[in-house]
Amino acid sequence: MKFGGTSVGKPERMHQVAELITKDAESKIVVLSALSGTTNSLVAIGDAMASGDRETAKQQIDKLEAHYQAFIPELVKTDAARAKAKAIIAEHFEFLTIILKISFSEALSKDILAQGELLSTKLFSVYLGEKGIDHALLPALEFMSIDIHDEPQVSAIRAKLMPILEQNKDKKLFITQGYICRNVRGEVDNLKRGGSDYTASLVAAAVNASVCEIWTDIDGMHNNDPRVVKKTVAIEQLSFEEAAELAYFGAKILHPTCIWPAQQQKVPVKLLNTMQPEAAGTVITQEAGSVGVKAVAAKDGIIAINIKSSRMLLAYGFLRKIFEVFEKYRTPIDMITTSEVAVSVTIDSGTHLKAIVKELEPFGTIEVEQDHTIISVVGNEIAQTQNVLSRLFEALTPVPVRMVSYGGSKHNVSILLPSSFKTQTLQLLNKGLFGLE
Ligand code: ADP
Ligand code: ASP
Ligand code: MG
């Protein structure tokens, strides 16, 4: 069971989480995020330190500490528990204050970012202790790891986690940190923003759990982004493929790559609402459940690269040479379209853009367009059913579509457009595909 930032963001929410995890006597591993807002504050502290602005960093640290100090009296009631909670806060904020004095580095910024999940799990453990709820706190840094390419591997996690569980055979309830891990250099690292979902799925796969429950602040995956359009509805059932596409193409409720570990081990994933635990939520399994379009999602920050070359005509091996450039810079391509004389690809990271463009130049004329958005229409057998394609393009009439990708999978049609058209497009699709205003 994984609980996100808002699910642990207030003392009363932590109390509710304690109820939810003790409803039945089944063994469970509970993965917690940092309290909502904490990771953003830690990012700001790191940024201030990186730019040498210790004054701002110190102010941010003090503000965050005050937030935690105010959290304690509502979380626990006994003097003993309050003293324990105070000691935990003192330890972690002392650490942040010491870091202020050390010269800044990338590794140090990861140490800063790790404080949020360490604090939330330790404070929650104090609350469980006060309530007399038997449990063990498992340090994620002892079993969550990423490889040389910063990718987690289920087998490596399993190899470390199983002996720890074995040592705690008498326990049925385990609490651990989401998001944080160790890299190949043994340093503290993380699974990128929103990574607690990934931790949950990886742990569920490692222990072959019967289910992986992601508890958040909404009753499951909705058909459209509720932050952008007014009326959205929860989806009952998704296949792993559909959920993975939605997560990867921007549905913030799930970390972009968190589905594969559960899918690999066939562990069903449920998306549930901490604020409304009786709601059915979304079930993600191998079966899609129904045929037809289910949801749209949007991914921002996309860069389109167009390579025009007359030499492409009749030339086999041309695409391989182009792809090799992206491979060299470990930059994944999201979308691709080709014509006889040109190929367009999209990437979501501009980190190596300059170098990539330089290496592509010998192949033809290169054009780069920034600030684009991919909107993905996801469902089961979508193109074959319900005239999805015709309704999609009808809805898109006012939108300057730059690329279309269809046919790669049976559950996705993706379109690329300038980001300034994103809100309008999501609204148009909500009406055109789902009949929702
Ligand atoms: P947590 O902190 O629990 O991980 P997140 O904020 O990461 O929660 O994810 C939940 C949020 O995702 C929701 O509050 C909602 O605004 C947003 N969201 C974006 N797209 C969708 C979608 N298609 N379905 C449900 N929620 C979505
Ligand atoms: N606390 C981390 C973040 O805000 C991880 C997570 O919440 O999933 O990104
Ligand atoms: Mg999240």
Side-chain angles (χ1 to χ4, degrees), residues 2-28:
K2 173 261 173 177
F3 292 87
T6 32
S7 303
V8 294
K10 292 189 173 142
E12 63 267 30
R13 297 260 161 83
M14 277 204 178
H15 298 166
Q16 204 183 343
V17 170
E19 261 179 47
L20 286 170
I21 63 174
T22 50
K23 264 205 175 129
D24 59 56
E26 274 195 81
S27 303
K28 45 184 80 87

Side-chain angles (χ1 to χ4, degrees), residues 184-246:
V184 280
R185 295 176 297 282
E187 299 156 346
V188 172
D189 212 316
N190 62 61
L191 301 174
K192 314 257 163 62
R193 294 306 304 270
S196 295
D197 301 332
Y198 208 4
T199 303
S201 172
L202 287 159
V203 168
V207 303
N208 235 320
S210 55
V211 62
C212 172
E213 295 181 352
I214 310 274
W215 289 80
T216 179
D217 59 1
I218 188 164
D219 58 341
M221 179 73 80
H222 279 219
N223 72 299
N224 204 329
D225 192 328
R227 296 165 302 174
V228 179
V229 301
K230 269 198 214 121
K231 179 106 188 69
T232 60
V233 289
I235 302 161
E236 260 171 60
Q237 198 176 345
L238 287 171
S239 67
F240 286 122
E241 282 88 359
E242 289 168 338
E245 303 245 25
L246 285 169

Side-chain angles (χ1 to χ4, degrees), residues 203-394:
V203 168
V207 303
N208 235 320
S210 55
V211 62
C212 172
E213 295 181 352
I214 310 274
W215 289 80
T216 179
D217 59 1
I218 188 164
D219 58 341
M221 179 73 80
H222 279 219
N223 72 299
N224 204 329
D225 192 328
R227 296 165 302 174
V228 179
V229 301
K230 269 198 214 121
K231 179 106 188 69
T232 60
V233 289
I235 302 161
E236 260 171 60
Q237 198 176 345
L238 287 171
S239 67
F240 286 122
E241 282 88 359
E242 289 168 338
E245 303 245 25
L246 285 169
Y248 187 73
F249 287 111
K252 195 209 169 203
I253 186 171
L254 286 174
H255 176 281
T257 54
C258 78
I259 289 295
W260 73 259
Q263 178 174 19
Q264 214 177 47
Q265 294 299 315
K266 300 187 179 63
V267 180
V269 177
K270 283 188 184 171
L271 308 180
L272 295 157
N273 189 348
T274 310
M275 277 46 98
Q276 204 190 329
E278 66 291 346
T282 302
V283 180
I284 304 164
T285 59
Q286 272 174 299
E287 282 84 43
S290 61
V291 161
V293 58
K294 292 191 181 159
V296 295
K299 185 174 173 183
D300 296 322
I302 305 293
I303 302 163
I305 303 173
N306 184 261
I307 305 133
K308 230 181 252 164
S309 166
S310 51
R311 264 173 297 153
M312 203 176 152
L313 212 64
L314 302 176
Y316 52 83
F318 183 80
L319 286 176
R320 178 178 54 78
K321 286 181 198 136
I322 286 175
F323 287 160
E324 271 171 1
V325 174
F326 292 89
E327 190 181 343
K328 181 173 166 192
Y329 292 98
R330 301 189 61 80
T331 300
I333 292 171
D334 282 333
M335 276 175 85
I336 162 164
T337 57
T338 62
S339 79
E340 201 58 5
V341 291
V343 49
S344 278
V345 300
T346 70
I347 56 175
D348 66 1
S349 158
T351 313
H352 302 293
L353 183 61
K354 256 197 183 152
I356 288 172
V357 169
K358 194 154 188 274
E359 293 210 23
L360 287 175
E361 266 160 4
F363 299 116
T365 313
I366 315 298
E367 266 170 23
V368 175
E369 291 165 85
Q370 309 256 7
D371 299 325
H372 275 62
T373 291
I374 293 177
I375 292 191
S376 280
V377 180
V378 172
N380 184 23
E381 314 254 336
I382 40 176
Q384 290 92 319
T385 51
Q386 299 172 344
N387 309 320
V388 170
L389 286 185
S390 59
R391 281 191 292 144
L392 172 66
F393 287 109
E394 203 174 305

